[in-house]
Amino acid sequence: MTFSVDVTVRGYELDTQGHLNQAVYLQYAEHARWELLRAAGLPQEKLLADGIGPVQLEVTVKYRRELRGGERVRVTCRFDYGTGKTFTLEQQILKEDGTVAAEITGVAGVLDLTERRLVPDPQGRLAALAGNPDLLTG
């Protein structure tokens, strides 16, 4: 399942050319990831109480179309798990007409905050805590 959240590009997020600053694309992606976790029943407080936290290990952004102030966009997010300690994040930022403005891919994990090591089964660990674990699978 692909989760999504809508965002409106704000004027203060624009660069000197009048389009969305490149760093803000990453902020939108981060926002969507946290909203996905929250919707699955995993707000930050619950993760911290369990002694874990999500970590981004790698990120790639492909900018496809510029975004300007006032545009509404949809930011998607999907977690794709393999068999190891990491999983893949697949995200898109879509304009209202469906045009892809950016593609964001990454590698993430779940960090044990005491041991400072990745947990061996991130999907299982998150699913065990989640109220709606179906949102966590791609």
Side-chain angles (χ1 to χ4, degrees):
M1 171 176 195
T2 300
F3 179 83
S4 67
V5 63
D6 293 337
V7 178
T8 300
V9 177
R10 295 165 289 258
Y12 61 84
E13 298 172 328
L14 305 180
D15 62 18
T16 57
Q17 290 82 26
H19 47 71
L20 189 64
N21 178 283
Q22 55 89 23
V24 181
Y25 286 84
L26 293 173
Q27 292 173 349
Y28 287 4
E30 180 82 0
H31 173 64
R33 290 191 298 273
W34 278 107
E35 286 299 301
L36 168 54
L37 289 169
R38 188 184 61 72
L42 297 171
Q44 189 174 24
E45 305 80 43
K46 188 171 189 177
L47 295 170
L48 291 174
D50 195 59
I52 60 172
V55 291
Q56 183 100 14
L57 304 169
E58 177 182 311
V59 65
T60 301
V61 181
K62 293 181 183 175
Y63 303 98
R64 301 294 188 199
R65 296 288 183 273
E66 67 181 359
L67 293 173
R68 297 195 170 273
E71 285 192 81
R72 288 187 50 78
V73 297
R74 175 156 290 162
V75 186
T76 67
C77 185
R78 188 179 74 237
F79 295 174
D80 290 324
Y81 300 94
T83 57
K85 295 179 181 183
T86 63
F87 56 96
T88 303
L89 298 168
E90 297 290 337
Q91 296 186 262
Q92 290 186 321
I93 299 178
L94 305 166
K95 293 175 156 247
E96 282 188 300
D97 67 2
T99 302
V100 177
E103 297 171 334
I104 301 154
T105 57
V107 176
V110 176
L111 186 68
D112 179 310
L113 298 174
T114 302
E115 296 294 322
R116 307 308 289 181
R117 298 202 181 276
L118 295 176
V119 301
D121 177 15
Q123 181 179 16
R125 185 72 177 265
L126 292 174
L129 289 173
N132 188 358
D134 291 343
L135 288 176
L136 300 170
T137 58

